[in-house]
Amino acid sequence: MKKVMIASKNPVKIQSVKNGFEKMFPDQEFEFTGMSTPSGVADQPFSNSETFLGAKNRANTIFTKFKDADFHVGIEGGIEHFDNEMEAFAWVFIISKDKCGKARTGTFFLPNEVVNLIKEGKELGDADDIVFNRRNSKQESGAVGILTGDVIDRTKYYTEAVILALIPFKNVDLY
């Protein structure tokens, strides 16, 4: 059984990692453990590079603490100004003893009311909770789930990026 350490206790992130690994490696067994890990970036990353660094830092921190695990996964959600709007996305960074994989989710644009709250200093999840009268939405369907009517919830959204980040581990002879 292979051990996967996830740099988060967020149930959405844990389930996304589990889904991604099980889809990419259906014949293998995994043990998944989540642990709160600092990102080393702002609570609400405001650029692609800061968001990427947050995912990488989380994975590296959990790798340093649990070298005996087979995989170490960091996920970081972020936002960035783009063409007078604000887009949302996330990065996934996966480390093993001998390689790493990384991938970014798709991008979607946030409604003005949410953007205005973010500009006032709120994190995306908190802004969503205020605008959509929710509680702790970032540990449930998230902004993407709210805005798509759960056609794509936060778990599905992250799962695809986990799968893409696992490409080097599935194709070891190519990477």
Side-chain angles (χ1 to χ4, degrees), residues 68-171:
D68 63 323
D70 298 286
F71 299 95
H72 310 81
V73 183
I75 300 174
E76 187 73 24
I79 53 180
E80 185 167 63
H81 291 282
F82 181 83
D83 197 27
N84 295 319
E85 295 183 89
M86 191 173 286
E87 62 181 346
F89 54 88
W91 272 99
V92 175
F93 200 95
I94 303 174
I95 302 171
S96 71
K97 288 175 179 63
D98 61 349
K99 68 176 73 270
C100 72
K102 50 196 172 285
R104 188 177 130 159
T105 64
T107 299
F108 63 98
F109 289 87
L110 299 170
N112 290 334
E113 201 173 343
V114 172
V115 171
N116 291 337
L117 288 170
I118 292 169
K119 286 179 179 178
E120 292 174 10
K122 302 275 188 225
E123 286 185 45
L124 174 57
D126 297 331
D128 287 337
D129 288 348
I130 292 166
V131 171
F132 300 106
N133 197 27
R134 304 269 179 128
R135 206 174 285 199
N136 204 19
S137 60
K138 68 182 181 179
Q139 291 197 358
E140 293 177 4
S141 62
V144 70
I146 293 168
L147 296 169
T148 65
D150 284 325
V151 172
I152 300 172
D153 64 18
R154 199 166 182 224
T155 302
K156 288 179 192 172
Y157 185 62
Y158 287 162
T159 296
E160 288 191 3
V162 170
I163 289 168
L164 294 172
L166 285 169
I167 288 173
F169 302 99
K170 186 159 182 93
N171 300 279

